[in-house]
Every structure is written in C-alpha cells, then in structure tokens.
Amino acid sequence: MKVALELKDFAKYPFLKESQQFIREYADTIGDFIGTNPGKIALKRATGRVSDALGLQEEKAPDRVPTERFEVKLEVAGYALARVLVSCQDDRSIIDRLCRYEAARAFRYLLDEDDDKKEMVASSLGIHVSGRSVPLFQYVEMVSGMREDRWRLVNREVDSGRVQVNRDEMNELIREQLRVILARQLPLKVPGQVCADLQPYLELITTAYQERLIEDMGEVEEGSFPPCIQAILTALTGGTNITHAGRFALTAFLHNIGMDKNQIVELYCRAPDFDVSKTLYQVEHISGRGGTEYTAPGCASMRTFGLCVNRDEICGKVNHPLNYYRRKKKRSSFTQRSG
Ligand code: SF4
C-alpha cells in the first residue's frame, strides 16, 4: 500500500528524498541559500541541532513538530545545513554524534507511527521490512555494529529466509540503519568558500564542543557518578555477576567521561573474576577501535535494562547518566569553591 507523506513528515524525517525535494526550490546552491533570510534562520536551527547532538540530548522529549509550510521548510533546511556544518568541521567524532542524534530523533517519532508509515520510512532507507521480519542477508548487515547477544543470529528465529523481530526491535534496527547510512554519507564535499562563509557558526560549535570536552575530560570524580553507575561498580567489586548491558553501560560511561583504557581496566580489576585480556578487548571495542565510538545509554535505555536504580533528586532533572555526572560535578566544584 502506498502511504502518503504529510507535511509534518518532512520535518520528522528530513533525510527522506521527498523531504529534500521539498526544499529544492529555495536556492540553486548552498552558497546562495545561506545568504537569504530563510537561510540565516535555517543556519541558526542547524547550529542548534549540532549543539544538541554534542550535548548528548538523545532522549529528550520529542520536539514540537512544525505543521506550517514555512516552518517545515526551515526544519528540513536546518537538517541539511547541520550536515554541511559538520562536514566543514570534518571531525569524525562530531559527525558521529550528529548521525547518532539524527537517528535517535527519527526513532522517537517512528515509535508513534503505524506500521505502514514505518515500513515506508524503512524502505526509503533500503530496509525491506514486512510485518515483523527482515530478509536474512539484510539483517546480518544491519546488526553488524550491534553488540548485544540478542542480535546474534543463533538467538533469532529465522523463517523462510527472514529473521523475525518484534515491534521494538524493528524500531531499533531502523534507528541503527539510519545511523549507519547517515554516517556513510558524511562528510559531504562542501566548497571551500561555503565553509569560509560559515566560519562564525563553526566557531560557535567548536567553542561549545571544547567546553563540553573539558567538562567531560576534567578530573574524574567517582563521587559524582550517578546511582546507576555506582550500583554497577558496587556489584563489580562485590563479585556479583554483571549483565552484558551493565558492563557496556559502565565501560561506555567511563570512556565518555574521559577515562583512558588503562584507568578503566584498573576499575575492572576490582572484580573477583577479572580477566585482563577479555576486559581490554571490550574496552577497546567500546572506545572506538572498531570504527564506532559508543555513547553510554541514556536513562530510558537504562530503565529498559533494569539498570536504573537508587534514583535520587538529581535523577529527576536529567535524561542521561552523563548529564547527571556533569550536573553533580559542577555542583560539587561550586560547593568546594564557596566553602
Ligand atoms: S535516572 Fe538516569 S542517572 Fe539516575 S539512576 Fe536512573 S539511569 Fe542513572
């Protein structure tokens, strides 16, 4: 069945070719567009989009979806220009964060779509899903970057050359595929003059990113770890068996706050069943040796895996363990300064 796209779908899924077609009329070239008034507004949106991506706001509430024609165009143009900005920056870690952000953003909207719309979005990404199954060859390609055991073929039901997945898994597969496709497309080849014109916006992003890195990479404060991460550490020290999801969350968190692989392995030494080579392999994998650098799961995912425990009052204000850490660390350095 052919599904008709509504105007608001262009804003929700700006990567679709129909969405890109929708803004074609604006100007012949990016250089022309960014000099226009709509171009300047879209550039501000693009900068906001990249900043959000760098701020790891992966699981905030879905953005208000514009429904008015001009607003939708700005939204789609903002997406396109965000890709131009990160291409000018040409920093793989920024590009990866934007791809992850865009994939997570589309994912949030997909969760509320009916199956026909979802299949339509998926097929525009080259994923031929049907009901609750994916062709075997495609499944294998799609899960190649997914680390959890549940994705391994031996743990799946395969029927007539198709792998069965449930509704939530289908959403996750689409999100991962979207991330991979977006990552493959970037960086774009942007004319040098356009990057030069975008310099003030690039500087804004670079400054914000560096501040974030300094915040993350500053001295590690175990006392500011969120309760979920503290709980995994306590379980580790006590010799309790930690699930794969728990190990992943802990390692990615420690990597994201700037601990190097030796420091992380040192922490794992607290476990009675510590295995140095296995731990080193996992740490290197999560910190990007295989080409993908992972971000620690947000609070929603932690809840799904039963890892969100001992919540305190800061938890009510954050959507990501990393945001919890930043907030608490800031608070404790303020207390130290004023004390
Ligand atoms: S709310 Fe978030 S930060 Fe707090 S314990 Fe749960 S997962 Fe961790």
Side-chain angles (χ1 to χ4, degrees):
M1 181 173 68
K2 180 100 177 106
V3 182
L5 284 170
E6 299 167 59
L7 196 58
K8 64 180 183 208
D9 291 329
F10 297 145
K12 288 194 218 168
Y13 312 113
F15 46 84
L16 295 177
K17 63 176 184 316
E18 291 87 347
S19 309
Q20 294 301 307
Q21 203 64 42
F22 181 62
I23 56 166
R24 278 279 137 77
E25 72 196 48
Y26 257 144
D28 287 338
T29 65
I30 304 172
D32 292 342
F33 178 55
I34 59 179
T36 62
N37 276 340
K40 284 178 190 144
I41 303 172
L43 254 178
K44 270 202 189 135
R45 305 249 171 125
T47 312
R49 221 164 166 118
V50 179
S51 304
D52 269 358
L54 296 180
L56 300 171
Q57 302 291 338
E58 290 177 28
E59 300 192 28
K60 66 179 185 180
D63 310 318
R64 187 188 62 81
V65 183
T67 49
E68 195 271 317
R69 218 174 162 77
F70 180 64
E71 278 291 322
V72 172
K73 285 198 168 176
L74 288 178
E75 188 76 13
V76 180
Y79 160 83
L81 286 176
R83 285 154 51 91
V84 170
L85 284 170
V86 299
S87 296
C88 287
Q89 218 123 17
D90 200 17
D91 176 329
R92 198 67 232 178
S93 67
I94 295 183
I95 289 174
D96 283 345
R97 281 175 192 232
L98 182 69
C99 297
R100 223 188 310 266
Y101 167 82
E102 292 295 353
R105 183 180 180 281
F107 176 69
R108 289 196 305 266
Y109 293 127
L110 275 179
L111 290 176
D112 295 329
E113 304 288 13
D114 57 30
D115 284 353
D116 289 336
K117 179 74 67 68
K118 204 175 288 173
E119 283 177 24
M120 194 280 293
V121 173
S123 94
S124 78
L125 298 170
I127 313 166
H128 303 294
V129 297
S130 157
R132 295 277 175 270
S133 69
V134 184
L136 178 60
F137 72 93
Q138 209 161 43
Y139 176 86
V140 172
E141 197 189 309
M142 287 163 88
V143 300
S144 62
M146 297 167 95
R147 66 214 167 267
E148 293 162 47
D149 279 352
R150 67 188 164 115
W151 297 113
R152 293 176 60 197
L153 212 45
V154 289
N155 297 326
R156 310 301 315 187
E157 191 186 322
V158 183
D159 188 13
S160 308
R162 299 187 71 91
V163 182
Q164 309 300 311
V165 292
N166 65 31
R167 187 184 161 90
D168 291 343
E169 288 169 339
M170 182 67 84
N171 290 334
E172 285 182 68
L173 287 176
I174 295 174
R175 175 177 60 177
E176 172 66 5
Q177 184 73 353
L178 175 57
R179 185 192 69 73
V180 169
I181 291 172
L182 294 178
R184 251 188 237 143
Q185 294 168 347
L186 296 177
L188 307 167
K189 281 200 179 103
V190 185
Q193 185 54 50
V194 172
C195 290
D197 292 344
L198 293 177
Q199 205 48 40
Y201 299 91
L202 295 173
E203 273 165 23
L204 274 180
I205 293 169
T206 306
T207 309
Y209 188 47
Q210 280 171 353
E211 278 170 8
R212 171 51 46 96
L213 282 182
I214 289 166
E215 246 177 73
D216 286 354
M217 298 292 206
E219 208 170 304
V220 172
E221 272 180 27
E222 210 172 313
S224 297
F225 285 4
C228 47
I229 299 295
Q230 296 274 17
I232 302 172
L233 268 177
T234 307
L236 187 83
T237 315
T240 310
N241 190 28
I242 302 174
T243 59
H244 178 77
R247 276 178 193 266
F248 172 78
L250 177 65
T251 309
F253 175 86
L254 298 174
H255 171 65
N256 294 153
I257 64 167
M259 281 178 89
D260 69 23
K261 78 173 182 237
N262 295 327
Q263 289 172 303
I264 299 175
V265 171
E266 245 170 62
L267 268 184
Y268 272 96
C269 286
R270 299 177 187 179
D273 63 345
F274 172 68
D275 174 336
V276 72
S277 60
K278 210 166 141 193
T279 306
L280 247 181
Y281 173 78
Q282 282 173 346
V283 171
E284 285 180 343
H285 176 68
I286 289 170
S287 50
R289 199 180 68 159
T292 306
E293 192 186 349
Y294 292 96
T295 301
C299 297
S301 305
M302 294 290 276
R303 274 193 290 278
T304 306
F305 290 113
L307 295 168
C308 172
V309 291
N310 309 334
R311 286 170 58 99
D312 63 16
E313 49 89 26
I314 301 181
C315 289
K317 299 180 183 134
V318 299
N319 53 19
H320 202 291
L322 288 167
N323 289 340
Y324 179 109
Y325 176 69
R326 291 186 190 109
R327 197 177 259 258
K328 189 156 179 188
K329 206 173 154 193
K330 237 185 226 162
R331 197 187 268 188
S332 78
S333 66
F334 177 76
T335 314
Q336 274 164 18
R337 277 203 308 273
S338 49

